[in-house]
Amino acid sequence: MGGALSGIRVLDISRYIAGPYCSMLLGDMGADVIKVEKKGCGEDSRSMIPFAGKEGEEKVSLYFTQYNKNKRSVTLDFRNPEGIELLKEMISKSDVLVENFRPGTLGKMGLTKEVLEKINPSLITVSISGFGQDGPYRDRAAFDCIGQVMGGLMSVTGEQDGEPLLVGSWIADFATGIYAALGAVSALYKRKETGIGQQIDVSLLESVISLLATAIPNYVETGLKQERRGNRDNVTGPANLFKTKDSMIYMHAGTDPLFTKLAELMGRKELNVDPKFHTANDRMNNIEEIEEIVQDWMSKYSTDELERMLVGVGIPCSPMADVESVINNPQVKHRKAVLYKEYPGVGKISLPGSVIKMSKNENEEIKLPPKLGQHNFEVYEEVLGLSNQEVNKLKEQGII
């Protein structure tokens, strides 16, 4: 038994993060992902920092490697009519097409919805864009940061009295990629019933809006705008980043049962029956006061001591972790959340492990992020039935 999506062929003509991350997730689940790249230079992110490579060897973008494992790479000239015909042939033999061009770009390439349906009625087209395939903003350009700003996430991120902040990673891209992969899998499941494909439309803007939790309904019902709270939880407390004797630790004892445990651990059982702190709502109304009490207690202990005490009574907590401590975390190592593979001409690089663990998904083989056009002969011969000579001719003619 292979991976859960074994036998599914995905054509990935996307770039940067959201699209490639979507197709990588499908590849992690066993799909045969073929990355179709621009002849000569390849996908845009191949030229993005940071780079790695041994002296005298071709440099490799570590940005590219993080979103393109478990794929094969072929090249073609997207501006050449014969290149587009070659792409159409590939589409006719595929299950999923992933793209994140601006809306309308596929149509300009001669790949309108009607053409795609004619070429392959069972094709599932996953279109990722900044604002969706329709609406007044559909033609506007966007990156992750624009999704975070316009989607409202930036407005609720940052210190209470500080400026709005972007999240420390490209969360809009990642969330959109995950939604896109879910849409693709759902459409594949529906296709079993109908035999026909469909178009999946996912946007950065809507993906970010979906992450706002209660901010929107609270405003709609009460007119209150969610304020920035720094590292403090929005609805229960104490739940924040606290200073210890030697560093910092995040602790969440915001629910009533957890606060009871914390009060006992602190030797302050009276706090649990104090009207100001008895319930989560009470504590949020007096959050500064209870956090000050907790901070005073925590400042007397080291981070290691606090972690042992808090974990011992079942209170969620974690020392403030940087990247070095993340990759050395025993749980991260055990779960293989970060993989280490030898990359030709570079040496050992890290790759993201599969987040989704399936008991019977046997797609354990990890394909390294491909070199540009690495699989031209393999894929064009295997998928389109071209001979070695015919592929060589395409290469000589500058089509691939």
Side-chain angles (χ1 to χ4, degrees):
M1 181 187 296
L5 294 180
S6 179
I8 296 298
R9 179 175 294 137
V10 177
L11 276 192
D12 176 13
I13 58 174
S14 66
R15 54 206 176 133
Y16 298 119
I17 298 177
Y21 189 65
C22 165
S23 61
M24 186 181 79
L25 293 176
L26 301 177
D28 287 352
M29 293 297 102
D32 175 21
V33 181
I34 299 172
K35 187 174 184 68
V36 186
E37 305 187 61
K38 291 182 289 187
K39 178 181 73 75
C41 58
E43 198 247 291
D44 300 75
S45 69
R46 285 187 182 273
S47 62
M48 300 188 74
I49 59 171
F51 291 100
K54 297 177 180 177
E55 193 67 33
E57 298 281 354
E58 180 183 353
K59 298 295 183 181
V60 174
S61 166
L62 297 180
Y63 182 106
F64 174 85
T65 63
Q66 295 308 292
Y67 319 115
N68 288 288
K69 75 176 191 298
N70 288 330
K71 301 180 186 182
R72 298 191 284 176
S73 169
V74 300
T75 57
L76 61 77
D77 185 352
F78 286 92
R79 297 182 181 278
N80 186 318
E82 292 185 56
I84 295 300
E85 289 304 311
L86 202 60
L87 181 59
K88 287 180 179 179
E89 287 186 58
M90 296 281 284
I91 290 171
S92 72
K93 299 179 183 299
S94 298
D95 299 286
V96 179
L97 174 68
V98 178
E99 63 95 8
N100 62 352
F101 298 118
R102 282 203 213 179
T105 300
L106 279 187
K108 293 176 182 177
M109 295 166 61
L111 298 172
T112 62
K113 175 183 175 182
E114 294 72 24
V115 168
L116 291 174
E117 287 180 347
K118 183 177 180 180
I119 293 172
N120 186 349
S122 65
L123 180 72
I124 293 155
T125 302
V126 179
S127 293
I128 298 169
S129 62
F131 308 103
Q133 299 299 305
D134 51 30
Y137 285 12
R138 65 158 252 165
D139 294 324
R140 289 177 59 160
F143 280 116
D144 172 278
C145 53
I146 305 303
Q148 290 194 45
V149 176
M150 191 179 293
L153 184 60
M154 190 175 178
S155 74
V156 298
T157 305
E159 293 297 331
Q160 187 171 12
D161 299 324
E163 296 294 324
L165 293 174
L166 291 172
V167 176
S169 184
W170 297 292
I171 193 169
D173 280 328
F174 290 122
T176 306
I178 293 167
Y179 282 133
L182 174 61
V185 171
S186 299
L188 286 168
Y189 184 81
K190 183 65 175 178
R191 194 180 69 174
K192 286 188 173 183
E193 175 190 331
T194 65
I196 58 176
Q198 58 182 298
Q199 288 73 42
I200 309 297
D201 177 2
V202 187
S203 75
L204 295 176
L205 176 62
E206 292 163 86
S207 297
V208 171
I209 290 172
S210 76
L211 305 177
L212 292 182
T214 58
I216 289 177
N218 192 30
Y219 174 75
V220 171
E221 293 298 321
T222 68
L224 293 176
K225 294 181 181 180
Q226 181 174 312
E227 297 179 349
R228 291 185 291 281
R229 290 179 174 268
N231 297 307
R232 181 183 292 158
D233 187 76
N234 284 327
V235 294
T236 61
N240 208 334
L241 185 67
F242 295 93
K243 293 180 180 179
T244 68
K245 188 188 291 185
D246 55 0
S247 57
M248 292 182 287
I249 191 169
Y250 199 100
M251 179 203 67
H252 194 311
T255 66
D256 293 341
L258 288 175
F259 183 71
T260 298
K261 291 181 179 181
L262 178 63
E264 292 177 355
L265 183 63
M266 293 169 60
R268 299 288 304 274
K269 290 184 180 181
E270 75 278 5
L271 294 174
N272 197 43
V273 294
D274 189 319
K276 292 187 293 185
F277 311 130
H278 185 57
T279 69
N281 288 339
D282 295 329
R283 293 190 295 278
M284 290 305 290
N285 288 331
N286 298 279
I287 191 63
E288 302 287 350
E289 186 175 351
I290 190 58
E291 283 187 350
E292 185 177 345
I293 292 171
V294 173
Q295 178 60 76
D296 182 65
W297 174 72
M298 285 197 168
S299 64
K300 297 177 174 64
Y301 298 93
S302 70
T303 297
D304 287 345
E305 290 171 330
L306 284 166
E307 184 179 20
R308 284 195 295 270
M309 289 190 289
L310 293 167
V311 169
V313 296
I315 297 176
C317 68
S318 173
M320 186 65 214
D322 58 15
V323 174
E324 180 181 7
S325 55
V326 168
I327 63 176
N328 289 313
N329 185 302
Q331 183 68 11
V332 172
K333 289 181 177 180
H334 174 80
R335 297 281 292 178
K336 298 180 180 178
V338 180
L339 305 174
Y340 301 92
K341 298 291 181 181
E342 287 290 329
Y343 198 89
V346 176
K348 188 170 289 187
I349 65 170
S350 65
L351 296 170
S354 178
V355 177
I356 304 169
K357 310 290 196 293
M358 298 177 67
S359 64
K360 295 183 180 179
N361 183 16
E362 298 179 9
N363 187 46
E364 293 296 330
E365 180 187 358
I366 303 297
K367 296 188 184 77
L368 289 173
K371 299 281 190 179
L372 179 60
Q374 178 180 340
H375 303 96
N376 273 346
F377 285 89
E378 177 182 310
V379 169
Y380 286 130
E381 292 177 18
E382 172 191 318
V383 178
L384 301 185
L386 301 179
S387 67
N388 189 277
Q389 291 77 12
E390 288 172 316
V391 177
N392 263 320
K393 186 176 180 181
L394 290 172
K395 191 174 180 180
E396 291 169 2
Q397 293 173 331
I399 298 171
I400 64 172

